[in-house]
Amino acid sequence: MNQFNKPAVSVTEQISILKNRGLAIQFPERAERYLEVISYFRLSAYMRPFQKNINEQVVDHQFKDGTEFKQIVDLYAFDRELRLLIMDAIERVEVAIRATLNNVMANKHQTDDICSGSHWYLNESLFKSSYQHKRLLKEIEDKQSKESNDLQRDVKKIERTSVSAEVKDRRIERRVRENYARFYQHTYDSPKLMPGWAMVEELTLGSISHLYRGLAKDNDRKDIARRFDLPQEVLESWLHTLNFVRNCCAHHSRLWNRELSVQPKIPNGDNWQLPDRLEPSQVQPKRRIYMVLLMLGHLMRQVSPDSQWHNKVKALVTLHPEVPKFPMGFPDDWLNHEFFSS
C-alpha cells in the first residue's frame, strides 16, 4: 500500500496540467467553466481514448497529437444523451415489468380467500426456499411504518395551526393521500401490508429482478416472460443486466464504451446473431452497450409498439460520426439490423 500524495489543485491549474499534457484548448475560459460544473475527475474518463498508450496502457496522461478539449466535451455530451435515451427505455420497461409481474401473480393465485390475489406476495409458498421472503415483507413494512410516522408528524403540525377545524381536516386528508403507503397504513389494519399492485411500485428494479428470479413456479416465470416474447431464463438475465445499466445511468456514469459486468443471455433467432469479436479491436459486442440497445429495442416493441425510440438511437449515433462505434460494440452493418432499419 502506498501513501496518497496528490494535492488539490484549482481549476486554473487543471487547465495548465491539460495543456502541459498536449491538449489543445482554444478557449481556456470556456474550458474552466466546463471543469467547474462537470469536474476534472468525471471528465477524465472521456480523456482516455484521446491519450497516447502502449499496449493499452496510457503513457504519462499525454494526449495524442492534435487532440482538442472540444473533442472530449463532445464525447461527454454524446454519452449523456445516450444515457438519457437508455434511461427513457428502461423506465418504460421497468413500469411494464412491475405491472405484468403483479397482474400475472395476482390473477393466477386468486382463491376463495378474497385477499389471496391482491396480497399474493404474502404467500411464502409462491417463492423458492432460497428467496429472502421475510426480507421482502420487512421492506414493505418498514416503508409503511416510515410513512405512518411522517403522517403523524404532519398531523401534529397541522393541529397546532390556528385555522378552522374544517381546513385542518382537509389538510390532513391531503397528507393521508400523499402516497399509497401512508394511506394504506392509515386506512386498513388487515392484511397488515399493502396489496401487490402497490408493493411492486415500492421496490427497486434490483429487488424486482430478485423477486422474479425467486418465484417458485416455472410456469409463473414463463407466463410473465411470455408478455415480453422471451424465454423466462432470458428475461431473468436481462433484468439483472438492465439493473446494472440503470444504476450506471442513475449515477451519471460513463456508458458509451463500458464493458458489461453482467453479460445478458442471448436469445435464439437471426436478430441475435452477433459476432463474437469485432476486428481488429477484439471488442465483444455481447458485452457492450450495443447489446443493451438491442435488448431495449426488443422490449420497447413489446411495451410501446408505436414508439420511435429506435429511430432516436439511430439519429444520435449517426449524427455523431466523430464518436468511435467499436467501443460500444457496434458492428459495421448495424444500420441493417431489423431494430434500426425499420
Side-chain angles (χ1 to χ4, degrees):
M1 299 291 286
N2 298 320
Q3 174 69 39
F4 183 87
N5 59 5
K6 294 182 179 180
V9 296
S10 68
V11 169
T12 301
E13 291 171 321
Q14 292 169 19
I15 294 293
S16 296
I17 291 172
L18 291 174
K19 286 182 176 180
N20 290 336
R21 291 174 176 174
L23 183 63
I25 303 178
Q26 188 174 2
F27 303 103
E29 290 183 0
R30 183 181 298 177
E32 284 192 24
R33 288 198 294 272
Y34 274 114
L35 293 176
E36 286 172 353
V37 298
I38 298 176
S39 93
Y40 185 105
F41 179 74
R42 178 176 290 275
L43 209 55
S44 64
Y46 301 91
M47 297 178 187
R48 294 184 191 120
F50 301 101
Q51 291 172 326
K52 297 177 181 179
N53 64 77
I54 298 176
N55 297 327
E56 299 185 357
Q57 296 296 318
V58 173
V59 181
D60 297 329
H61 303 285
Q62 292 296 309
F63 288 93
K64 298 173 184 177
D65 295 342
T67 302
E68 298 182 1
F69 184 78
K70 182 179 183 301
Q71 293 174 269
I72 298 168
V73 173
D74 286 347
L75 180 56
Y76 174 84
F78 169 83
D79 194 41
R80 178 180 177 275
E81 292 183 64
L82 180 65
R83 285 198 306 272
L84 291 173
L85 269 178
I86 288 176
M87 197 63 172
D88 173 47
I90 290 179
E91 177 190 341
R92 298 196 221 183
V93 170
E94 181 179 343
V95 169
I97 290 288
R98 294 174 189 274
T100 302
L101 174 61
N102 180 72
N103 287 340
V104 169
M105 296 301 293
N107 287 286
K108 285 187 69 174
H109 299 287
Q110 177 69 61
T111 65
D112 292 339
D113 180 353
I114 192 170
C115 290
S116 58
S118 62
H119 287 74
W120 61 269
Y121 71 97
L122 300 182
N123 185 351
E124 190 172 3
S125 69
L126 297 180
F127 297 89
K128 298 175 182 175
S129 59
S130 58
Y131 179 72
Q132 295 178 312
H133 184 252
K134 289 182 174 58
R135 181 177 177 178
L136 169 68
L137 302 188
K138 186 176 187 308
E139 185 174 350
I140 302 305
E141 184 177 3
D142 287 349
K143 173 66 176 179
Q144 288 186 190
S145 295
K146 179 183 180 303
E147 290 299 334
S148 179
N149 292 336
D150 289 348
L151 175 61
Q152 294 307 313
R153 184 195 63 221
D154 291 346
V155 168
K156 288 178 180 177
K157 287 182 180 179
I158 291 170
E159 288 178 341
R160 287 198 297 266
T161 60
S162 57
V163 297
S164 67
E166 184 179 355
V167 172
K168 287 180 181 180
D169 288 343
R170 286 202 303 267
R171 289 179 179 177
I172 290 172
E173 182 64 18
R174 283 200 297 269
R175 292 292 192 278
V176 168
R177 295 182 177 275
E178 204 162 81
N179 63 62
Y180 192 82
R182 66 169 56 179
F183 172 78
Y184 188 87
Q185 184 89 349
H186 178 79
T187 308
Y188 304 100
D189 55 16
S190 181
K192 183 178 179 180
L193 302 182
M194 65 182 74
W197 52 79
M199 176 275 295
V200 293
E201 299 297 338
E202 298 295 341
L203 302 182
T204 64
L205 180 57
S207 294
I208 290 288
S209 175
H210 286 302
L211 192 155
Y212 176 74
R213 187 185 311 140
L215 294 176
K217 296 182 179 179
D218 199 53
N219 282 337
D220 287 344
R221 295 193 303 277
K222 285 181 178 179
D223 287 344
I224 293 166
R226 191 175 296 116
R227 171 63 183 81
F228 302 96
D229 193 25
L230 290 172
Q232 60 96 3
E233 67 274 7
V234 172
L235 179 60
E236 178 182 319
S237 167
W238 284 16
L239 288 177
H240 194 190
T241 298
L242 290 178
N243 183 55
F244 166 76
V245 175
R246 185 194 183 283
N247 288 339
C248 288
C249 293
H251 292 91
H252 323 300
S253 300
R254 172 182 49 83
L255 203 59
W256 76 282
N257 65 344
R258 184 177 292 275
E259 185 172 17
L260 301 176
S261 62
V262 183
Q263 181 177 342
K265 288 186 180 295
I266 312 298
N268 297 321
D270 294 340
N271 287 336
W272 307 102
Q273 300 306 307
L274 305 179
D276 289 333
R277 295 180 184 273
L278 301 180
E279 298 293 345
S281 66
Q282 295 300 299
V283 165
Q284 298 173 275
K286 296 172 186 178
R287 296 188 67 92
R288 297 293 175 130
I289 208 65
Y290 179 70
M291 181 62 199
V292 174
L293 295 174
L294 296 186
M295 290 161 51
L296 291 172
H298 170 86
L299 291 168
M300 286 292 282
R301 286 187 172 192
Q302 311 308 312
V303 306
S304 185
D306 297 328
S307 169
Q308 294 300 304
W309 182 83
H310 63 291
N311 284 328
K312 293 177 182 178
V313 173
K314 182 165 63 175
L316 174 64
V317 176
T318 55
L319 288 173
H320 289 82
E322 76 284 357
V323 175
K325 298 176 185 62
F326 74 85
M328 296 185 284
F330 278 64
D332 291 338
D333 61 348
W334 72 276
L335 280 172
N336 295 326
H337 194 285
E338 182 184 345
F339 290 160
F340 300 112
S341 61
S342 58

